[in-house]
Amino acid sequence: PKDLSPMRPVAPIDLTEKMTAPVLGIFGNEDQRPSPDQVNRTEEVLKKLGKTYEFHRYDGVGHGFFAAERPAYRAEQATDGWRKVYAFLDKYIGPRITV
């Protein structure tokens, strides 16, 4: 509630019921936006509503670990995360065309 404002009158988690697309979440367990507790609560709601989702978490990394130009970048976790992104897209959209 403290994060709600005229520009964000509804918490994103309150929109979960209307979601129809599969959801991929890749999180650092040291991140605070979203925090591990927020990720847990979101996962509970997704499960309760029977939504299709995949969540992956990495210990020892925080926000921005995918961004190679940032100090928070973690190559090993980012590389694994990208593998998970491509696998998710292949599964739900279709395999990539390679030339």
Side-chain angles (χ1 to χ4, degrees):
K2 69 180 179 350
D3 291 331
L4 297 182
S5 69
M7 295 297 292
R8 188 187 312 168
V10 176
I13 199 166
D14 293 334
L15 303 173
T16 307
E17 190 168 3
K18 296 178 183 177
M19 291 175 19
T20 58
V23 176
L24 174 64
I26 299 177
F27 307 100
N29 284 328
E30 305 304 315
D31 200 343
Q32 292 306 304
R33 290 199 177 264
S35 70
D37 181 58
Q38 290 168 324
V39 173
N40 291 339
R41 288 186 287 144
T42 300
E43 186 169 25
E44 287 175 23
V45 172
L46 291 167
K47 280 182 186 178
K48 183 178 101 181
L49 295 173
K51 300 298 180 177
T52 301
Y53 75 96
E54 292 180 20
F55 277 9
H56 304 281
R57 303 170 191 222
Y58 296 95
D59 290 327
V61 300
H63 195 80
F65 72 92
F66 262 66
E69 71 282 358
R70 298 177 82 183
Y73 178 65
R74 299 295 178 267
E76 181 180 336
Q77 292 87 346
T79 299
D80 187 65
W82 278 115
R83 284 188 192 109
K84 288 175 172 47
V85 168
Y86 289 125
F88 183 87
L89 293 173
D90 287 349
K91 182 176 181 178
Y92 291 104
I93 294 176
R96 291 166 278 148
I97 297 173
T98 56
V99 180

